[in-house]
């Protein structure tokens, strides 16, 4: 649980890099993004942070024979829902899944796409606002689905902490009058 502009993508990439270098060098990592803009952004950031063997799935890209694949959730869903799809077996080799904007888990494609991959060793979701009901996430079906899939929040970084440390700017609101 990291606020907007707090570095969620950087955290995911750092964990993926550590996973591939220290835990499972033969592993296959997939980043699941809700749209093409975030797929492109994460793809570029992976390269910037030293992950070289990176492919994309979605928005006209189909480069799955890489140790890291950044995909649009709907493109992944179209593969995993059809065992006869030509890329189904390739996706089954994924060992680590990172879901960006996990609060979108209420959509069928976001909820179902990663859970049919059989040998996942590492499954992490990130969001600036993971739960609809922050005080009582067990009261909301979508929040319960997130908890069921990811089990628990492993870290919560407050916006105040990031401001105090100089990672994000403190917001200032100015009310402008009419007339």
């Amino acid at each position: 649980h990291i606020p907007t502009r707090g570095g969620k993508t950087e955290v995911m990439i750092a964990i993926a890099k550590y996973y591939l270098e220290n835990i499972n060098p033969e592993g296959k990592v997939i980043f699941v993004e809700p749209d093409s803009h975030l797929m492109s952004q994460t793809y570029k950031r992976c390269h910037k942070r030293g992950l070289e063997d990176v492919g994309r799935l979605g928005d006209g890209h189909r480069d799955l024979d890489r140790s890291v694949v950044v995909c649009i959730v709907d493109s992944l869903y179209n593969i995993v829902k059809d065992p006869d799809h030509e890329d189904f077996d390739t996706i089954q080799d994924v060992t680590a899944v990172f879901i960006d904007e996990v609060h979108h888990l209420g959509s069928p494609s976001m909820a179902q796409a990663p859970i049919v991959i059989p040998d996942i060793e590492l499954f992490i979701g990130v969001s600036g606002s993971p739960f609809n009901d922050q005080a009582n996430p067990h009261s909301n079906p979508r929040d319960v689905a997130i908890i069921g899939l990811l089990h628990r929040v492993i870290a919560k970084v407050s916006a105040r902490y990031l401001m105090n440390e100089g990672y994000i700017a403190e917001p200032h609101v100015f009310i402008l009058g009419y007339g």
Side-chain angles (χ1 to χ4, degrees), residues 137-152:
H138 290 91
S139 69
N140 179 292
R142 190 205 59 133
D143 294 351
V144 170
I146 292 170
I147 293 167
L149 195 56
L150 299 172
H151 302 291
R152 63 184 178 91

Side-chain angles (χ1 to χ4, degrees), residues 30-121:
I30 196 161
F31 290 96
V32 182
E33 297 291 351
D35 59 47
S36 61
H37 171 73
L38 288 173
M39 178 188 71
S40 178
Q41 178 183 0
T42 301
Y43 175 80
K44 289 174 187 172
R45 289 252 184 92
C46 284
H47 282 286
K48 185 177 180 180
R49 298 294 179 231
L51 288 172
E52 300 297 328
D53 190 29
V54 183
R56 287 177 281 188
L57 173 64
D59 199 31
H61 302 278
R62 190 173 150 257
D63 189 13
L64 299 174
D65 295 324
R66 304 295 185 119
S67 61
V68 177
V69 176
V70 183
C71 71
I72 299 171
V73 66
D74 291 336
S75 299
L76 176 63
Y77 180 66
N78 287 336
I79 294 171
V80 300
K81 73 178 183 179
D82 180 8
D84 295 325
H85 192 284
E86 63 184 305
D87 295 318
F88 186 83
D89 290 337
T90 302
I91 293 298
Q92 300 303 302
D93 294 336
V94 169
T95 57
V97 175
F98 294 84
I99 301 179
D100 195 4
E101 306 296 349
V102 74
H103 56 272
H104 291 294
L105 205 59
S107 74
S109 56
M110 186 67 93
Q112 295 173 16
I115 61 174
V116 299
I117 302 170
D119 296 319
I120 297 174
E121 299 172 339

